[in-house]
Amino acid sequence: MKKACIVFLIDALGWEILAKSGVEFPEFREKRRLKTVLGYSGAAIPSLLSGRPPGETGHWAMYFHAPQSSPFSATRLVSWLPRRILRRKLSSAFLKWLVEVRAGIKGYYSLYEIPFEYFRFFDLCEKKNIFSENGLNACPNIFDELSGNGIEYRVWDWRAREEENFKEFTQELRAGILQFFFFYTPELDAVIHKFGTGSERVVEKLRLLSEMVTESAQTASEYYDDVHILVVSDHGMVDTTSVIDSSVFLDTVKFSMPDDYLVFLDSTMARFWFSNKEARESFSSRLSALKSGRILTVDELKQLGAYFPDGRFGELIFLTSPGTLIVPSFMGKEPLKAMHGFHPSHPGCDALAAGNHSLPDLSSILDIFGLIKSEISWLKRRSET
């Protein structure tokens, strides 16, 4: 008998987002509510693919402090140019050339609105394609498991649009050769960021995704005798309710960047590195007084599996309260309608796993790795009989 397993990884398909939408996925026989990890998709997806927290995968934030290995080190050669020139498209093309051609980085990254003069202090975390064998920095992933067990598979990811990927995916289903299909789409994530969790545009997108899963199940059933379908996600989202002006804790202090400190302003985190003890004390005091977030302690980072002893992702990390964004930040000058990257204890951040067959008990996105490993065992066991 021909067996196949199809895994859809739908970015930002949060438990509460789906429940609020009223959209049904007919293929769902069972579903589980899952806690995510601290961080953004760059942290959550590697954890989902490996079953290990960020501190073990080596993947947390997109950028980390490492001037000695920065692919942007050559920017110091042109840092003397006026800012109006450095902010033009020409500078973006130069940065992309440094990353993709000169450094050969294959992973996902974005330049966002990071000030040109600070790029040289940071390195990119995701240097390889995480959706491939040996794709993670510090541990194996599910694709290593597939290869090691001789399972024929293919991956569709962010490198092409969802519509284009789905056409190729359907063609592969009809070929009836592969045993394992992994389909990742980030498009729902983008819609929720732009319109908010309860928008009709989100509902519309969820309906399209539901139809895509149903169509896949119907197509696969024509070419395979038994098909297992899993739909999993990396995190949910929380609607934006307030913002904190980054100037509150940056422009009013007497220290300068990069001489006394460095900061990377994510949407929900401000991550600091210090070369001046007085600067550390001043920022710690100022941030501790804010009611819109808090400094994460070492013990809490360890508990969340996001502690890095070398401080590469931040020596001091300020996390905003759920629903609060740092604006302006290196991510942009205007707030998004909804965001993730808040403390994973917030229910709006919860992800999910669902399938057209019986599922084991699951509580975290870290459990998805074991779930897919059981599918590999099922495929291998069946193929040997």
Side-chain angles (χ1 to χ4, degrees):
M1 295 178 69
K2 291 178 64 175
K3 312 291 180 180
C5 177
I6 302 171
V7 177
F8 290 95
L9 171 51
I10 302 177
D11 204 313
L13 181 60
W15 179 275
E16 293 200 340
I17 292 170
L18 182 61
K20 182 165 57 175
S21 73
V23 175
E24 298 290 340
F25 279 65
E27 303 308 315
F28 286 3
R29 176 180 165 186
E30 294 186 1
K31 59 179 182 283
R32 302 283 185 266
R33 185 169 189 156
L34 308 178
K35 286 297 177 184
T36 188
V37 298
L38 178 65
Y40 307 100
S41 293
I45 294 177
S47 289
L48 179 156
L49 294 175
S50 66
R52 302 188 187 185
E56 295 181 29
T57 65
H59 293 257
W60 195 46
M62 184 178 293
Y63 288 86
F64 65 98
H65 181 232
Q68 70 282 359
S69 62
S70 174
F72 307 104
S73 58
T75 58
R76 67 171 62 246
L77 300 176
V78 294
S79 60
W80 55 271
L81 290 170
R83 282 193 174 189
R84 68 178 183 277
I85 295 177
L86 296 178
R87 288 175 178 171
R88 293 177 181 172
K89 291 183 178 180
L90 180 61
S91 64
S92 295
F94 175 56
L95 292 170
K96 289 182 178 181
W97 177 83
L98 289 176
V99 170
E100 297 170 16
V101 178
R102 192 166 181 263
I105 289 175
K106 305 297 183 184
Y108 176 78
Y109 75 97
S110 176
L111 301 176
Y112 296 114
E113 295 187 30
I114 303 168
F116 187 92
E117 59 268 32
Y118 298 136
F119 271 105
R120 61 190 174 93
F121 297 105
F122 299 103
D123 198 351
L124 287 163
C125 180
E126 193 174 309
K127 292 183 171 64
K128 297 178 285 186
N129 175 10
I130 61 173
F131 297 105
S132 66
E133 297 160 35
N134 301 309
L136 300 187
N137 291 337
C139 63
N141 63 24
I142 201 65
F143 307 109
D144 296 306
E145 290 287 332
L146 287 163
S147 177
N149 283 279
I151 302 296
E152 295 182 88
Y153 73 95
R154 185 173 170 186
V155 178
W156 290 264
D157 61 25
W158 53 269
R159 290 167 176 79
R161 291 187 58 81
E162 184 180 286
E163 182 179 0
E164 179 184 339
N165 276 342
F166 191 64
K167 287 180 181 178
E168 290 188 4
F169 165 79
T170 303
Q171 290 172 356
E172 288 286 5
L173 282 178
R174 289 172 176 158
I177 297 173
L178 300 177
Q179 297 173 276
F180 189 95
F181 303 78
F182 191 96
F183 192 99
Y184 168 69
T185 174
E187 292 192 9
L188 176 65
D189 180 89
V191 174
I192 300 174
H193 277 314
K194 186 174 182 178
F195 297 103
T197 64
S199 166
E200 183 58 35
R201 296 289 291 271
V202 173
V203 174
E204 178 184 341
K205 184 61 182 177
L206 286 170
R207 290 195 186 109
L208 290 173
L209 289 167
S210 174
E211 292 170 3
M212 185 172 71
V213 173
T214 297
E215 181 181 339
S216 301
Q218 293 172 347
T219 301
S221 67
E222 297 176 15
Y223 300 93
Y224 293 88
D225 300 304
D226 197 0
V227 181
H228 280 189
I229 296 178
L230 295 174
V231 175
V232 300
S233 63
D234 51 347
H235 58 74
M237 279 216 208
V238 178
D239 286 318
T240 301
T241 55
S242 62
V243 299
I244 175 172
D245 190 333
S246 54
S247 66
V248 168
F249 52 83
L250 293 182
D251 294 349
T252 56
V253 295
K254 62 182 179 180
F255 306 101
S256 63
M257 180 171 164
D259 296 331
D260 299 307
Y261 73 97
L262 278 169
V263 64
F264 196 98
L265 297 174
D266 293 302
S267 296
T268 65
M269 288 188 282
R271 300 182 286 118
F272 291 84
W273 299 264
F274 300 99
S275 54
N276 180 314
K277 182 179 179 181
E278 188 180 355
R280 177 191 288 271
E281 293 173 350
S282 177
F283 276 106
S284 295
S285 176
R286 187 174 297 275
L287 292 167
S288 296
L290 295 177
K291 297 181 179 180
S292 50
R294 59 192 173 85
I295 296 172
L296 297 173
T297 66
V298 169
D299 286 343
E300 187 169 16
L301 287 168
K302 288 180 177 179
Q303 182 182 10
L304 293 168
Y307 176 63
F308 293 82
D310 61 4
R312 78 188 80 160
F313 290 105
E315 296 173 352
L316 182 152
I317 299 169
F318 175 82
L319 177 68
T320 63
S321 303
T324 300
L325 300 188
I326 298 172
V327 181
S329 71
F330 290 179
M331 304 296 105
K333 296 180 176 62
E334 299 294 332
L336 297 169
K337 293 289 187 180
M339 191 60 204
H340 46 96
F342 301 107
H343 197 286
S345 63
H346 190 279
C349 297
D350 290 350
L352 64 79
N356 68 342
H357 58 293
S358 179
L359 299 179
D361 290 336
L362 307 166
S363 61
S364 162
I365 64 170
L366 300 180
D367 298 327
I368 293 174
F369 177 75
L371 176 62
I372 296 178
K373 279 187 68 175
S374 68
E375 294 298 313
I376 292 173
S377 297
W378 173 75
L379 288 170
K380 190 175 179 181
R381 184 172 60 252
R382 294 293 184 174
S383 66
E384 292 173 347
T385 58

